[in-house]
Amino acid sequence: MRSVEEQQARIAAAAVAPRPVRVAIAEAQGLMCAEEVVTERPMPGFDQAAIDGYAVRSVDVLGVGGGVGADDHDGRDVSLPVMALIEAGARTPSRLQPRQAARVQTGAPMPTLADAVLPLRWTDGGANRVRVLRGVRSGAYVRRAGDDVQPGDVAVRAGTIIGAAQVGLLAAVGRERVLVHPRPRLSVMSVGGELVDVSRTPGNGQVYDVNSYALAAAGRDAGAEVNRVGIVDTDPVQLREAVEGQLNRAEIVVIAGAVGGAAAESVRAVLSELGEMEVSRIAMHPGSVQGFGQLGRDRVPVFLLPANPVSALVVFEVMVRPLIRLSLGKRAPMRRVVTARALSPITSVAGRKGYLRGQLMRDQDTGDYLVQALGGAPGASSHLLATLAEANCLVIVPTDVDEVRTGETVDVAFLAQRG
């Protein structure tokens, strides 16, 4: 029986990140940048007003209202003629003469000789002449050219996950497109004569195809571009045609229901004609029996998962998700793991690493993590999808432990946040 870590290492060795592609910045969110984005011009590109107010020479308003430079101005009142209104986006250059002011909007270009902006609240708001109520220092409320970014600066570094701020910065430096690591394409299909799609009413002995929907959602959560193929006929000719079609369009293929039983044997026989496929028992539960191989001309990673939806989702989480994350260029493909104190006994299977459903909480007084196991004894309710839906973590029980007693600590992997 192979250990979880050995199987994960075998799978990780098959990871091949898709070739970087150049996409519009509006489509880059959530992807990893694959280039150093170097700015060609300063940002902002000109001196501009940081707030609404009046552009002035700071020397003309020294000491007003007991403010900056009060000793130099003898406390006298100052009023200045307003020579212009400069709006944001104004393109005509303007020049300020000594003892003049210009009304400016936020983002407006500063007139020549002006070195500060008086906030409106420090004036009487006059249109033709403005009374200054308080002085300002040179540079106050002005965004100088290049304050944010200078030419030659790296705006977005390779390896950075592009979020809202990065999209904004790319736009600010005038980049329409950016080179990124694309989402790996994942194809998900289910096999099983008992399956019907959710659009149909199951007859006697039939069940809904849960796996292709659940696993497709898990793939999207992991960051893949997912094609849910749905139910595939196990007729050898049709199955081979369906699988070959996905090998030509996907970087990863997942087939649920392809381990255990006579139907799975026929599936594996077809797949063995397309490349190396191994079904083995892994020292984990649930989902001990699973398959992995590399098929087709491009040796595409292909996973065979159990028919049990809970087992299939757990195997996907432990084995498939890390491969997707590696293909995205992530340096840390695994979920965040914390240590939590068990609120009740947790039973596991000796000799297998347990991945058990749980609810993770936090002690308000101590800040310690607490975990409540869901689902009861192993095997008794491994089929209950409802308890997995309630879980926000997987409790990871070591191979050599068959019971975690109340109050003992155990590793816990965060699942995606709900809500």
Side-chain angles (χ1 to χ4, degrees):
M1 188 180 294
R2 185 179 294 147
S3 72
V4 170
E5 292 73 19
E6 289 171 337
Q7 183 74 348
Q8 286 175 328
R10 181 168 174 262
I11 292 168
V16 178
R19 182 174 298 178
V21 296
R22 199 167 293 279
V23 301
I25 61 173
E27 300 171 3
Q29 187 170 0
L31 300 177
M32 180 179 287
C33 187
E35 65 172 321
E36 299 280 296
V37 179
V38 179
T39 59
E40 298 177 356
R41 54 181 61 89
M43 188 181 81
F46 54 89
D47 292 351
Q48 60 181 236
I51 60 172
D52 288 358
Y54 296 86
V56 296
R57 299 191 319 154
S58 58
V59 69
D60 291 335
V61 295
L62 288 176
V64 176
V68 177
D71 293 339
D72 300 327
H73 200 281
D74 300 327
R76 290 179 295 173
D77 290 341
V78 170
S79 65
L80 303 173
V82 179
M83 48 81 66
L85 168 62
I86 306 175
E87 299 178 331
R91 302 179 65 181
T92 303
S94 57
R95 182 181 180 87
L96 200 67
Q97 298 298 325
R99 297 190 60 79
Q100 281 187 342
R103 180 70 180 266
V104 289
Q105 295 179 350
T106 302
M110 293 287 288
T112 303
L113 295 187
D115 65 343
V117 175
L118 274 170
L120 284 176
R121 65 181 182 277
W122 292 356
T123 72
D124 67 352
N128 298 315
R129 193 170 191 89
V130 60
R131 181 167 176 252
V132 180
L133 305 179
R134 179 176 174 181
V136 288
R137 294 184 184 277
S138 178
Y141 304 105
V142 176
R143 294 182 65 213
R144 295 294 186 190
D147 270 355
D148 286 349
V149 176
Q150 292 284 349
D153 286 352
V154 177
V156 180
R157 296 193 176 278
T160 300
I161 303 301
I162 297 176
Q166 286 74 30
V167 171
L169 188 53
L170 288 167
V173 301
R175 286 294 294 266
E176 275 189 278
R177 305 178 75 80
V178 62
L179 195 67
V180 297
H181 294 286
R183 302 183 191 279
R185 294 168 299 176
L186 169 71
S187 290
V188 179
M189 59 185 77
S190 296
V191 294
E194 77 282 11
L195 301 177
V196 296
D197 193 72
V198 295
S199 61
R200 295 176 52 194
T201 301
N204 187 37
Q206 293 182 316
V207 296
Y208 286 124
D209 169 28
V210 173
N211 280 324
S212 72
Y213 287 95
L215 297 173
R220 293 187 192 96
D221 176 72
E225 178 185 319
V226 179
N227 173 38
R228 190 191 69 82
V229 180
I231 305 168
V232 176
D233 198 302
T234 53
D235 172 79
V237 174
Q238 294 187 46
L239 177 61
R240 176 166 180 150
E241 182 179 324
V243 173
E244 284 185 316
Q246 299 311 310
L247 295 178
N248 291 329
R249 64 173 296 175
E251 279 81 37
I252 303 170
V253 175
V254 169
I255 306 174
V259 290
E265 289 291 338
S266 64
V267 170
R268 294 200 294 273
V270 172
L271 298 181
S272 65
E273 299 173 3
L274 301 175
E276 302 173 6
M277 175 57 67
E278 179 190 65
V279 175
S280 53
R281 190 172 291 275
I282 308 302
M284 65 176 283
H285 76 96
S288 173
V289 181
Q290 53 189 266
F292 176 73
Q294 292 177 268
L295 306 183
R297 179 187 58 194
D298 297 326
R299 294 179 55 79
V300 175
V302 177
F303 293 85
L304 305 183
L305 272 52
N308 180 309
V310 169
S311 298
L313 278 169
V314 171
V315 174
F316 188 100
E317 175 69 30
V318 177
M319 300 297 178
V320 186
R321 189 179 194 278
L323 182 63
I324 294 172
R325 306 297 283 174
L326 285 171
S327 297
L328 278 166
K330 307 288 186 182
R331 289 182 287 271
M334 310 305 290
R335 296 275 196 184
R336 180 188 172 200
V337 174
V338 299
T339 301
R341 182 158 41 88
L343 293 177
S344 60
I346 301 172
T347 306
S348 188
V349 176
R352 299 187 191 177
K353 194 170 187 177
Y355 292 89
L356 311 176
R357 295 146 283 172
Q359 286 185 334
L360 188 65
M361 297 160 272
R362 201 132 195 201
D363 189 308
Q364 292 185 348
D365 296 327
T366 66
D368 293 342
Y369 285 107
L370 310 173
V371 65
Q372 176 66 57
L374 301 173
S381 59
S382 64
H383 64 289
L384 295 181
L385 195 60
T387 57
L388 186 59
E390 287 298 314
N392 63 2
C393 69
L394 287 179
V395 182
I396 305 173
V397 183
T399 306
D400 58 353
V401 175
D402 59 8
E403 183 179 8
V404 178
R405 291 188 288 271
T406 302
E408 292 184 338
T409 58
V410 65
D411 284 345
V412 173
F414 281 105
L415 297 179
Q417 295 292 326
R418 301 202 311 270

